[in-house]
Amino acid sequence: MTPAPPAGPDRSGPPGVPGLAAALPESLPESPLEELADERLRRAGVRLLLKRDDLLHPAVPGNKWRKLLPNLVEARAAGLGAVLTFGGAYSNHLRATAAAGRAAGLRTVGVVRGDELRGRPLNPSLAQAASWGMELDFLGRADWRQRESASVLEPLLRRHGPALVVPEGGSNAAGVRGCLSLGQELAESEASVVCCSVGTGGTLAGLAAGLTSRQFALGYGALRHAPLEAETAALQLAAFGRRTGNWRIDDGHHFGGYGRTTPALTAFAQDFLTRHGIALDLSYEAKAMFGLFTGLGEGILRRGTTVAFLIAG
Ligand SMILES: Cc1ncc(COP(=O)(O)O)c(C=O)c1O
């Protein structure tokens, strides 16, 4: 049974975002796989197939849908009328949760890192989430570090009411299992290597588990100083009871860490946009694509290889 939307912010569907007010889908359609024609690839003898998860929905791109859908279903099944989750001030995940929650008829609460933002005008990303009905709350840095502890969660749930708590990035066991389909969709493809960007590791964890034994997943870390390998392995353990051996993380292309960029990275992304008409997310996919192009012709990206690259949003 779909819980009735509660009183509060208008949830009837914002103008100009197609499909947002539609009901929660039972399952997701397959995202397209498109070959990229680029002379640098031709010279290196590598074929590159783009897995266009970014095209699945205008407001809830693929890896977000894959991770959120099982969580929204779980919230409904548990009779909870709301989902509470976490993210930074420009979090793609918060916006996606606001949109998906709206489609599901669930209230959403976005807990934002940075108490100093409270009471200030919202940036465009948070304003978009709020316009889709998300209630925003803010945590100082110390509470943020303890955000999943009872001492931080209980006051949040008292303020906003009972909710399914979903971690940052939507990466819990249910979210990781939701990303299994990503690997399964690529299992029949010609790709022997699948590349993706890594933030929390949830996408890589699920994707790798869905691949066949002839395929290998290479994640590019977008964060610095984060134990991404251990976190991804822990997510696989939580979701599937084991770590699959078919993936690794390249930590040489974080460009200074989350949200950081360099002139070389922005120039690469701009050139990619000019050549291919695809705007790579600077925090994630641009870094991973830069890493891929830098490694062309070497190691597992050697001549003769077909690579699939996930564009998650
Ligand atoms: C566009 C984009 N690509 C990649 C990722 C990384 O996904 P994950 O956090 O599952 O590692 C994210 C994170 O949400 C993202 O927004």
Side-chain angles (χ1 to χ4, degrees), residues 27 37 44 67 102 110-111 123 139 159 165 200 258 271 308-309:
S27 60
K67 291 194 274 190
R102 191 177 188 104
V111 181
N123 69 37
L139 285 183
R159 275 204 292 282
V165 177
T200 59
Y258 182 70
D271 175 63
F309 181 95

Side-chain angles (χ1 to χ4, degrees), residues 26-96:
E26 298 253 307
S27 60
L28 299 175
E30 275 201 22
S31 60
L33 191 61
E34 301 170 348
E35 181 153 6
L36 189 78
D38 187 303
E39 52 166 0
R40 294 166 293 183
L41 295 165
R42 193 185 50 73
R43 276 201 305 272
V46 171
R47 286 182 67 207
L48 183 58
L49 312 175
L50 300 182
K51 181 69 172 157
R52 300 294 307 268
D53 251 27
D54 57 320
L55 300 181
L56 274 184
H57 193 283
V60 195
N63 79 332
K64 312 290 176 312
W65 254 135
R66 292 181 201 270
K67 291 194 274 190
L68 283 168
L69 191 56
N71 278 293
L72 297 176
V73 168
E74 189 179 321
R76 278 183 175 178
L80 292 166
V83 170
L84 180 147
T85 192
F86 303 89
Y90 289 90
S91 165
N92 296 329
H93 166 69
L94 285 186
R95 277 197 319 283

Side-chain angles (χ1 to χ4, degrees), residues 179-180 183 203-212 215-217 236 244 246-247:
C179 290
L180 196 63
T203 306
L204 174 63
L207 174 132
L211 296 175
T212 64
Q215 296 174 307
F216 189 84
Q236 282 202 323
T244 65
N246 63 341
W247 58 270

Side-chain angles (χ1 to χ4, degrees), residues 104-132:
L106 292 167
R107 272 191 319 119
T108 55
V109 181
V111 181
V112 183
R113 181 180 58 233
D115 203 25
E116 70 282 2
L117 301 174
R118 188 188 294 279
R120 294 245 302 268
L122 298 177
N123 69 37
S125 178
L126 293 178
Q128 174 102 88
S131 80
W132 291 337

